[in-house]
């Protein structure tokens, strides 16, 4: 039955977050407000870092790049979700779905690597301050960036190479608001046991490995600070706790979606909101409201703009 035609399913239907009308109205408002904030906040970070020469340092370059990826990650899923909620027409073409999965994994993989690069930057700045300028050179920065994108790309290609040949016949309802591998594979009518294992191994390994590496590095950094002076610990902790929060909020859902062995899609799709709407807001909030240099840079750029 299933071997007949490869493209019998030409589009998928998203079941969305909720079918309850008042809940949909709430989600529509909530996601519109959040998405606008994400766009403005992250563009502000990229703009400030690009145009203020005083922020031309590895830390701010990495930060601006992270903001850029966050913006893309949100744009990949949230506008589609908003338009689905608004129009009630929740379909996506087969190609659209595959492209969404591909881009999602390129961006997700790159974001994870970029968060690792930022941890490295913190580590060198705090634990090897004398070597900071030689280690985190502009060339190193470019390498970290190129490395992050290449790893994201490789990860995504290797996963997708296995699933593009899947056959789909009858089922086309995706119980979520975006396409990702776990739901996609579930709809195929061929036996996907090995594929499920492959996805868990690939995506799960990357997210868990990176997560533990990051948590371990932050503990190591804090321990180093504590050994040097117990007074410095609270200051370092207040700076690093923001990062640790972002790391936990970003990786938590990823690990849950890919590694948790039991299918609990209802939880999965709500957790995904953290990655597409909450963490992309956190970076601008942390860096624009809490960072003195960034606030001063914005004030300078603002007065420059006004004096034109
Ligand atoms: C990303 O980082 C590079 C330097 O490492 C910088 O030249 C570039 O402007 C950054 N990208 C964004 C969007 O800020």
């Amino acid at each position: 039955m299933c071997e007949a035609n490869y493209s019998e399913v030409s589009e998928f239907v998203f079941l969305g977050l909720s079918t309850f009308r008042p809940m949909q109205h709430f989600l529509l408002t909530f996601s519109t407000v959040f998405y606008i904030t994400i766009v403005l906040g992250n563009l502000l970070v990229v703009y400030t870092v690009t145009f203020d020469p005083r922020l031309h340092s590895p830390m701010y370059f990495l930060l601006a790049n992270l903001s850029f990826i966050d913006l893309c990650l949100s744009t990949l899923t949230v506008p589609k979700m908003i338009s689905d909620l608004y129009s009630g027409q929740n379909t996506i073409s087969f190609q659209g779905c595959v492209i969404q999965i591909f881009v999602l994994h390129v961006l997700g993989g790159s974001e994870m690597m970029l968060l690792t690069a930022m941890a490295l930057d913190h580590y060198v700045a705090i634990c090897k301050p004398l070597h900071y300028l030689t280690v985190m050179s502009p060339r190193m920065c470019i390498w970290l960036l190129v490395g992050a994108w290449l790893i994201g790309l490789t990860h995504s290609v290797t996963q997708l190479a296995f699933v593009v040949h899947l056959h789909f016949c009858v089922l086309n309802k995706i119980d979520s608001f975006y396409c990702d591998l776990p739901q996609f594979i579930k709809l195929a009518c061929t036996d996907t046991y090995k594929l499920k294992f492959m996805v868990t191994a690939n995506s799960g390994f990357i997210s868990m490995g990176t997560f533990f590496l990051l948590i371990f590095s932050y503990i190591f950094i804090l321990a180093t600070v504590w050994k040097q002076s117990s007074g410095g610990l609270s200051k370092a902790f207040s700076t690093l706790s923001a990062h640790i929060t972002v790391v936990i909020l970003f990786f938590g859902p990823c690990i849950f979606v890919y590694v948790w062995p039991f299918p609990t899609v209802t939880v999965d799709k709500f957790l995904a909101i953290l990655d597409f709407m909450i963490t992309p807001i956190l970076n601008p909030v942390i860096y624009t409201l809490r960072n003195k240099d960034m606030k001063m840079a914005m004030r300078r750029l603002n007065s420059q703009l006004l004096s034109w």
Side-chain angles (χ1 to χ4, degrees):
M1 170 188 104
C2 290
E3 265 137 46
N5 210 339
Y6 166 43
S7 51
E8 264 188 66
V9 168
S10 64
E11 60 178 22
F12 294 103
V13 179
F14 288 138
L15 296 183
L17 286 169
S18 167
T19 48
F20 183 49
R21 208 62 196 135
M23 182 63 177
Q24 287 183 339
H25 288 307
F26 167 75
L27 285 168
L28 182 61
T29 317
F30 172 86
S31 42
T32 309
V33 171
F34 269 58
Y35 185 64
I36 292 173
T37 317
I38 288 167
V39 173
L40 294 180
N42 286 296
L43 284 181
L44 183 67
V45 171
V46 172
Y47 171 82
T48 313
V49 172
T50 312
F51 289 103
D52 193 316
R54 268 172 269 197
L55 296 183
H56 287 184
S57 70
M59 182 185 140
Y60 289 105
F61 274 145
L62 293 175
L63 178 72
N65 279 278
L66 188 71
S67 269
F68 175 71
I69 294 188
D70 272 344
L71 182 58
C72 296
L73 207 54
S74 251
T75 304
L76 184 65
T77 52
V78 181
K80 166 77 179 141
M81 173 190 162
I82 293 175
S83 98
D84 285 354
L85 281 167
Y86 184 73
S87 66
Q89 209 196 358
N90 312 342
T91 55
I92 186 168
S93 66
F94 183 86
Q95 287 84 351
C97 191
V98 172
I99 292 173
Q100 200 177 37
I101 296 177
F102 176 74
V103 179
L104 183 67
H105 282 264
V106 174
L107 292 173
S110 311
E111 168 134 0
M112 289 183 183
M113 293 307 130
L114 213 56
L115 287 170
T116 314
M118 291 174 86
L120 175 73
D121 178 74
H122 283 132
Y123 167 76
V124 181
I126 293 176
C127 303
K128 306 255 182 266
L130 297 180
H131 301 285
Y132 187 77
L133 289 179
T134 44
V135 177
M136 295 302 292
S137 61
R139 178 183 285 187
M140 177 66 161
C141 248
I142 304 279
W143 276 119
L144 287 173
L145 223 83
V146 173
W149 284 101
L150 278 183
I151 290 177
L153 196 66
T154 316
H155 156 73
S156 192
V157 169
T158 48
Q159 294 226 107
L160 229 65
F162 288 98
V163 300
V164 283
H165 303 298
L166 285 178
H167 295 257
F168 294 87
C169 19
V170 197
L171 298 171
N172 74 339
K173 297 211 174 7
I174 294 181
D175 187 12
S176 188
F177 60 97
Y178 69 104
C179 281
D180 196 6
L181 287 170
Q183 297 96 331
F184 187 73
I185 289 178
K186 217 192 277 168
L187 299 181
C189 49
T190 31
D191 180 28
T192 54
Y193 176 76
K194 280 194 196 122
L195 275 180
K196 275 187 202 131
F197 178 76
M198 196 275 306
V199 167
T200 307
N202 190 339
S203 290
F205 177 77
I206 292 199
S207 22
M208 279 225 301
T210 323
F211 177 71
F212 285 116
L213 179 75
L214 286 174
I215 293 296
F216 180 75
S217 345
Y218 280 119
I219 292 176
F220 186 82
I221 296 174
L222 289 173
T224 312
V225 176
W226 184 64
K227 256 185 273 162
Q228 285 165 356
S229 74
S230 44
L233 186 64
S234 66
K235 189 165 167 280
F237 192 75
S238 79
T239 326
L240 295 182
S241 60
H243 269 267
I244 298 174
T245 313
V246 169
V247 165
I248 292 175
L249 284 182
F250 183 79
F251 282 90
C254 296
I255 294 178
F256 193 85
V257 168
Y258 297 115
V259 184
W260 192 250
F262 311 105
T264 43
V265 187
T266 7
V267 185
D268 280 13
K269 60 185 183 186
F270 285 101
L271 278 179
I273 293 182
L274 285 177
D275 277 346
F276 297 126
M277 284 192 249
I278 308 296
T279 40
I281 276 190
L282 279 185
N283 277 320
V285 167
I286 290 169
Y287 283 99
T288 50
L289 299 184
R290 294 188 35 168
N291 184 304
K292 213 166 40 168
D293 294 337
M294 207 59 184
K295 272 195 263 187
M296 265 156 57
M298 282 192 297
R299 228 168 277 150
R300 279 196 297 271
L301 286 175
N302 195 13
S303 55
Q304 270 171 28
L305 271 183
L306 290 180
S307 64
W308 271 357

Tab-separated table of all heavy atoms in Angstrom, residues 92-136:
chain	number	residue	atom	x	y	z
A	92	ILE	N	1.281	23.175	5.559
A	92	ILE	CA	2.620	23.481	5.077
A	92	ILE	C	2.940	22.433	4.012
A	92	ILE	O	2.565	21.263	4.151
A	92	ILE	CB	3.656	23.475	6.228
A	92	ILE	CG1	5.028	23.934	5.726
A	92	ILE	CG2	3.769	22.103	6.884
A	92	ILE	CD1	6.030	24.235	6.836
A	93	SER	N	3.607	22.865	2.939
A	93	SER	CA	3.905	21.919	1.860
A	93	SER	C	4.986	20.952	2.318
A	93	SER	O	5.718	21.218	3.277
A	93	SER	CB	4.370	22.665	0.627
A	93	SER	OG	5.607	23.279	0.901
A	94	PHE	N	5.070	19.822	1.609
A	94	PHE	CA	6.098	18.832	1.935
A	94	PHE	C	7.483	19.460	1.900
A	94	PHE	O	8.269	19.331	2.832
A	94	PHE	CB	5.997	17.664	0.942
A	94	PHE	CG	6.963	16.568	1.234
A	94	PHE	CD1	6.637	15.573	2.144
A	94	PHE	CD2	8.198	16.528	0.612
A	94	PHE	CE1	7.522	14.555	2.430
A	94	PHE	CE2	9.096	15.507	0.895
A	94	PHE	CZ	8.758	14.517	1.803
A	95	GLN	N	7.764	20.208	0.802
A	95	GLN	CA	9.069	20.860	0.677
A	95	GLN	C	9.281	21.871	1.801
A	95	GLN	O	10.359	21.954	2.377
A	95	GLN	CB	9.202	21.604	-0.665
A	95	GLN	CG	9.368	20.726	-1.869
A	95	GLN	CD	8.025	20.239	-2.402
A	95	GLN	OE1	6.985	20.432	-1.769
A	95	GLN	NE2	8.044	19.624	-3.561
A	96	GLY	N	8.226	22.636	2.102
A	96	GLY	CA	8.319	23.640	3.165
A	96	GLY	C	8.724	22.996	4.483
A	96	GLY	O	9.555	23.520	5.226
A	97	CYS	N	8.131	21.841	4.732
A	97	CYS	CA	8.398	21.138	5.983
A	97	CYS	C	9.859	20.685	6.035
A	97	CYS	O	10.535	20.866	7.052
A	97	CYS	CB	7.454	19.949	6.073
A	97	CYS	SG	7.412	19.151	7.659
A	98	VAL	N	10.336	20.118	4.907
A	98	VAL	CA	11.725	19.643	4.872
A	98	VAL	C	12.691	20.821	5.032
A	98	VAL	O	13.668	20.743	5.784
A	98	VAL	CB	12.008	18.867	3.563
A	98	VAL	CG1	13.489	18.549	3.441
A	98	VAL	CG2	11.189	17.593	3.533
A	99	ILE	N	12.386	21.931	4.358
A	99	ILE	CA	13.256	23.118	4.476
A	99	ILE	C	13.271	23.618	5.913
A	99	ILE	O	14.318	23.963	6.463
A	99	ILE	CB	12.785	24.232	3.508
A	99	ILE	CG1	13.025	23.788	2.063
A	99	ILE	CG2	13.513	25.544	3.785
A	99	ILE	CD1	12.456	24.723	1.027
A	100	GLN	N	12.090	23.624	6.543
A	100	GLN	CA	12.031	24.092	7.930
A	100	GLN	C	12.906	23.216	8.837
A	100	GLN	O	13.659	23.734	9.667
A	100	GLN	CB	10.584	24.096	8.426
A	100	GLN	CG	10.392	24.996	9.631
A	100	GLN	CD	8.953	25.077	10.083
A	100	GLN	OE1	8.217	24.106	10.034
A	100	GLN	NE2	8.560	26.246	10.560
A	101	ILE	N	12.832	21.915	8.648
A	101	ILE	CA	13.661	21.011	9.470
A	101	ILE	C	15.140	21.281	9.220
A	101	ILE	O	15.937	21.380	10.150
A	101	ILE	CB	13.339	19.531	9.156
A	101	ILE	CG1	11.901	19.221	9.531
A	101	ILE	CG2	14.297	18.605	9.906
A	101	ILE	CD1	11.471	17.822	9.209
A	102	PHE	N	15.490	21.436	7.930
A	102	PHE	CA	16.892	21.644	7.582
A	102	PHE	C	17.436	22.923	8.241
A	102	PHE	O	18.438	22.906	8.946
A	102	PHE	CB	17.045	21.720	6.059
A	102	PHE	CG	18.435	22.027	5.616
A	102	PHE	CD1	19.413	21.051	5.690
A	102	PHE	CD2	18.780	23.286	5.152
A	102	PHE	CE1	20.713	21.321	5.299
A	102	PHE	CE2	20.075	23.569	4.767
A	102	PHE	CZ	21.042	22.589	4.843
A	103	VAL	N	16.732	24.032	8.024
A	103	VAL	CA	17.204	25.318	8.558
A	103	VAL	C	17.218	25.296	10.090
A	103	VAL	O	18.148	25.799	10.728
A	103	VAL	CB	16.333	26.485	8.025
A	103	VAL	CG1	16.801	27.808	8.593
A	103	VAL	CG2	16.373	26.521	6.515
A	104	LEU	N	16.193	24.664	10.660
A	104	LEU	CA	16.111	24.569	12.114
A	104	LEU	C	17.360	23.919	12.693
A	104	LEU	O	17.924	24.388	13.687
A	104	LEU	CB	14.876	23.737	12.482
A	104	LEU	CG	14.561	23.561	13.955
A	104	LEU	CD1	14.177	24.890	14.549
A	104	LEU	CD2	13.432	22.569	14.144
A	105	HIS	N	17.827	22.843	12.038
A	105	HIS	CA	18.990	22.147	12.585
A	105	HIS	C	20.300	22.873	12.295
A	105	HIS	O	21.228	22.795	13.094
A	105	HIS	CB	19.014	20.692	12.105
A	105	HIS	CG	18.059	19.837	12.870
A	105	HIS	ND1	18.439	19.085	13.942
A	105	HIS	CD2	16.717	19.690	12.754
A	105	HIS	CE1	17.368	18.477	14.446
A	105	HIS	NE2	16.313	18.832	13.741
A	106	VAL	N	20.370	23.587	11.166
A	106	VAL	CA	21.569	24.400	10.915
A	106	VAL	C	21.661	25.475	12.001
A	106	VAL	O	22.693	25.644	12.659
A	106	VAL	CB	21.514	25.078	9.524
A	106	VAL	CG1	22.693	26.024	9.360
A	106	VAL	CG2	21.528	24.044	8.415
A	107	LEU	N	20.547	26.196	12.219
A	107	LEU	CA	20.557	27.292	13.188
A	107	LEU	C	20.753	26.775	14.613
A	107	LEU	O	21.544	27.333	15.383
A	107	LEU	CB	19.249	28.083	13.113
A	107	LEU	CG	19.014	28.899	11.840
A	107	LEU	CD1	17.611	29.476	11.844
A	107	LEU	CD2	20.042	30.012	11.718
A	108	GLY	N	20.042	25.696	14.956
A	108	GLY	CA	20.150	25.144	16.300
A	108	GLY	C	21.572	24.683	16.594
A	108	GLY	O	22.133	25.000	17.645
A	109	GLY	N	22.156	23.950	15.639
A	109	GLY	CA	23.523	23.474	15.821
A	109	GLY	C	24.496	24.634	15.957
A	109	GLY	O	25.363	24.633	16.843
A	110	SER	N	24.345	25.654	15.106
A	110	SER	CA	25.243	26.812	15.180
A	110	SER	C	25.073	27.548	16.493
A	110	SER	O	26.048	28.004	17.090
A	110	SER	CB	24.964	27.793	14.041
A	110	SER	OG	24.898	27.132	12.828
A	111	GLU	N	23.828	27.671	16.942
A	111	GLU	CA	23.601	28.377	18.206
A	111	GLU	C	24.292	27.653	19.366
A	111	GLU	O	24.912	28.284	20.219
A	111	GLU	CB	22.097	28.535	18.481
A	111	GLU	CG	21.805	28.990	19.899
A	111	GLU	CD	20.789	30.105	20.017
A	111	GLU	OE1	20.283	30.564	19.002
A	111	GLU	OE2	20.512	30.514	21.155
A	112	MET	N	24.187	26.324	19.368
A	112	MET	CA	24.849	25.567	20.431
A	112	MET	C	26.351	25.801	20.408
A	112	MET	O	26.985	25.982	21.450
A	112	MET	CB	24.565	24.074	20.277
A	112	MET	CG	23.139	23.739	20.617
A	112	MET	SD	22.824	21.987	20.516
A	112	MET	CE	21.066	21.991	20.875
A	113	MET	N	26.938	25.789	19.199
A	113	MET	CA	28.382	25.979	19.100
A	113	MET	C	28.771	27.403	19.498
A	113	MET	O	29.804	27.653	20.102
A	113	MET	CB	28.868	25.697	17.670
A	113	MET	CG	28.727	24.253	17.281
A	113	MET	SD	29.525	23.164	18.499
A	113	MET	CE	28.254	21.981	18.827
A	114	LEU	N	27.905	28.362	19.161
A	114	LEU	CA	28.186	29.749	19.519
A	114	LEU	C	28.126	29.946	21.030
A	114	LEU	O	28.944	30.676	21.605
A	114	LEU	CB	27.151	30.644	18.828
A	114	LEU	CG	27.644	32.015	18.405
A	114	LEU	CD1	28.856	31.878	17.508
A	114	LEU	CD2	26.551	32.752	17.657
A	115	LEU	N	27.171	29.280	21.681
A	115	LEU	CA	27.104	29.355	23.145
A	115	LEU	C	28.365	28.757	23.754
A	115	LEU	O	28.882	29.262	24.760
A	115	LEU	CB	25.863	28.622	23.664
A	115	LEU	CG	24.526	29.326	23.418
A	115	LEU	CD1	23.359	28.413	23.760
A	115	LEU	CD2	24.420	30.607	24.249
A	116	THR	N	28.888	27.697	23.118
A	116	THR	CA	30.138	27.110	23.589
A	116	THR	C	31.291	28.092	23.406
A	116	THR	O	32.140	28.252	24.295
A	116	THR	CB	30.454	25.808	22.819
A	116	THR	OG1	29.263	25.036	22.762
A	116	THR	CG2	31.542	25.020	23.484
A	117	ALA	N	31.313	28.769	22.245
A	117	ALA	CA	32.366	29.759	21.998
A	117	ALA	C	32.303	30.872	23.039
A	117	ALA	O	33.333	31.372	23.502
A	117	ALA	CB	32.225	30.330	20.591
A	118	MET	N	31.081	31.270	23.433
A	118	MET	CA	30.953	32.325	24.443
A	118	MET	C	31.455	31.847	25.803
A	118	MET	O	32.051	32.619	26.558
A	118	MET	CB	29.497	32.792	24.540
A	118	MET	CG	29.058	33.537	23.286
A	118	MET	SD	27.321	33.958	23.299
A	118	MET	CE	27.369	35.507	24.177
A	119	ALA	N	31.243	30.575	26.093
A	119	ALA	CA	31.764	30.029	27.350
A	119	ALA	C	33.286	30.026	27.323
A	119	ALA	O	33.942	30.350	28.323
A	119	ALA	CB	31.223	28.626	27.579
A	120	LEU	N	33.844	29.686	26.159
A	120	LEU	CA	35.302	29.710	26.014
A	120	LEU	C	35.830	31.119	26.252
A	120	LEU	O	36.817	31.333	26.957
A	120	LEU	CB	35.690	29.235	24.608
A	120	LEU	CG	37.177	29.324	24.273
A	120	LEU	CD1	37.933	28.233	25.018
A	120	LEU	CD2	37.424	29.199	22.780
A	121	ASP	N	35.128	32.100	25.676
A	121	ASP	CA	35.505	33.499	25.856
A	121	ASP	C	35.510	33.868	27.347
A	121	ASP	O	36.442	34.503	27.834
A	121	ASP	CB	34.533	34.379	25.058
A	121	ASP	CG	34.820	35.856	25.231
A	121	ASP	OD1	35.818	36.317	24.658
A	121	ASP	OD2	34.058	36.528	25.959
A	122	HIS	N	34.463	33.445	28.071
A	122	HIS	CA	34.414	33.713	29.516
A	122	HIS	C	35.561	33.036	30.245
A	122	HIS	O	36.166	33.603	31.144
A	122	HIS	CB	33.096	33.190	30.111
A	122	HIS	CG	31.955	34.079	29.801
A	122	HIS	ND1	30.752	33.611	29.315
A	122	HIS	CD2	31.821	35.415	29.888
A	122	HIS	CE1	29.943	34.609	29.122
A	122	HIS	NE2	30.554	35.727	29.461
A	123	TYR	N	35.798	31.778	29.843
A	123	TYR	CA	36.852	31.012	30.503
A	123	TYR	C	38.198	31.724	30.361
A	123	TYR	O	38.904	31.923	31.343
A	123	TYR	CB	36.921	29.600	29.906
A	123	TYR	CG	38.164	28.862	30.309
A	123	TYR	CD1	38.288	28.318	31.584
A	123	TYR	CD2	39.235	28.735	29.422
A	123	TYR	CE1	39.434	27.659	31.970
A	123	TYR	CE2	40.393	28.079	29.797
A	123	TYR	CZ	40.488	27.551	31.075
A	123	TYR	OH	41.633	26.922	31.449
A	124	VAL	N	38.538	32.118	29.128
A	124	VAL	CA	39.836	32.772	28.906
A	124	VAL	C	39.878	34.107	29.648
A	124	VAL	O	40.871	34.435	30.291
A	124	VAL	CB	40.101	32.973	27.396
A	124	VAL	CG1	41.451	33.632	27.172
A	124	VAL	CG2	40.058	31.640	26.679
A	125	ALA	N	38.786	34.868	29.586
A	125	ALA	CA	38.772	36.185	30.230
A	125	ALA	C	38.949	36.075	31.739
A	125	ALA	O	39.630	36.893	32.358
A	125	ALA	CB	37.465	36.908	29.897
A	126	ILE	N	38.352	35.052	32.348
A	126	ILE	CA	38.375	34.962	33.807
A	126	ILE	C	39.561	34.137	34.312
A	126	ILE	O	40.232	34.517	35.268
A	126	ILE	CB	37.035	34.388	34.331
A	126	ILE	CG1	35.922	35.406	34.049
A	126	ILE	CG2	37.107	34.101	35.829
A	126	ILE	CD1	34.547	34.955	34.418
A	127	CYS	N	39.839	33.024	33.630
A	127	CYS	CA	40.879	32.129	34.154
A	127	CYS	C	42.255	32.376	33.551
A	127	CYS	O	43.264	32.045	34.151
A	127	CYS	CB	40.483	30.676	33.933
A	127	CYS	SG	38.908	30.268	34.677
A	128	LYS	N	42.326	32.913	32.340
A	128	LYS	CA	43.625	33.193	31.721
A	128	LYS	C	43.669	34.638	31.211
A	128	LYS	O	43.904	34.871	30.036
A	128	LYS	CB	43.861	32.263	30.521
A	128	LYS	CG	43.719	30.795	30.823
A	128	LYS	CD	45.070	30.103	30.905
A	128	LYS	CE	44.899	28.629	31.154
A	128	LYS	NZ	44.948	28.272	32.577
A	129	PRO	N	43.431	35.612	32.111
A	129	PRO	CA	43.291	36.999	31.657
A	129	PRO	C	44.519	37.522	30.907
A	129	PRO	O	44.382	38.323	29.988
A	129	PRO	CB	43.041	37.772	32.954
A	129	PRO	CG	43.441	36.881	34.050
A	129	PRO	CD	43.304	35.487	33.566
A	130	LEU	N	45.718	37.036	31.293
A	130	LEU	CA	46.932	37.570	30.665
A	130	LEU	C	47.048	37.128	29.204
A	130	LEU	O	47.708	37.776	28.406
A	130	LEU	CB	48.175	37.130	31.445
A	130	LEU	CG	48.221	37.665	32.875
A	130	LEU	CD1	49.462	37.188	33.588
A	130	LEU	CD2	48.162	39.196	32.870
A	131	HIS	N	46.404	36.024	28.888
A	131	HIS	CA	46.509	35.506	27.518
A	131	HIS	C	45.312	35.902	26.667
A	131	HIS	O	45.204	35.468	25.531
A	131	HIS	CB	46.619	33.982	27.547
A	131	HIS	CG	47.796	33.503	28.325
A	131	HIS	ND1	49.077	33.574	27.842
A	131	HIS	CD2	47.891	32.974	29.572
A	131	HIS	CE1	49.907	33.094	28.748
A	131	HIS	NE2	49.215	32.743	29.814
A	132	TYR	N	44.398	36.691	27.255
A	132	TYR	CA	43.142	36.956	26.561
A	132	TYR	C	43.343	37.481	25.142
A	132	TYR	O	42.775	36.975	24.188
A	132	TYR	CB	42.265	37.928	27.361
A	132	TYR	CG	40.888	38.082	26.753
A	132	TYR	CD1	39.932	37.092	26.933
A	132	TYR	CD2	40.569	39.182	25.971
A	132	TYR	CE1	38.690	37.190	26.360
A	132	TYR	CE2	39.323	39.286	25.387
A	132	TYR	CZ	38.388	38.286	25.587
A	132	TYR	OH	37.151	38.392	24.999
A	133	LEU	N	44.190	38.521	25.024
A	133	LEU	CA	44.336	39.162	23.709
A	133	LEU	C	44.955	38.231	22.673
A	133	LEU	O	44.623	38.303	21.496
A	133	LEU	CB	45.152	40.445	23.831
A	133	LEU	CG	44.399	41.576	24.532
A	133	LEU	CD1	45.267	42.807	24.644
A	133	LEU	CD2	43.094	41.904	23.798
A	134	THR	N	45.856	37.336	23.123
A	134	THR	CA	46.465	36.440	22.138
A	134	THR	C	45.535	35.286	21.786
A	134	THR	O	45.464	34.871	20.633
A	134	THR	CB	47.813	35.868	22.642
A	134	THR	OG1	47.658	35.481	23.996
A	134	THR	CG2	48.921	36.887	22.504
A	135	VAL	N	44.809	34.763	22.800
A	135	VAL	CA	43.928	33.624	22.502
A	135	VAL	C	42.703	34.069	21.715
A	135	VAL	O	42.397	33.525	20.649
A	135	VAL	CB	43.502	32.901	23.800
A	135	VAL	CG1	42.533	31.777	23.481
A	135	VAL	CG2	44.724	32.346	24.520
A	136	MET	N	41.989	35.071	22.238
A	136	MET	CA	40.765	35.506	21.560
A	136	MET	C	41.082	36.592	20.532
A	136	MET	O	40.549	37.699	20.581
A	136	MET	CB	39.740	36.018	22.585
A	136	MET	CG	39.233	34.956	23.545
A	136	MET	SD	38.453	33.535	22.759
A	136	MET	CE	36.978	34.279	22.083
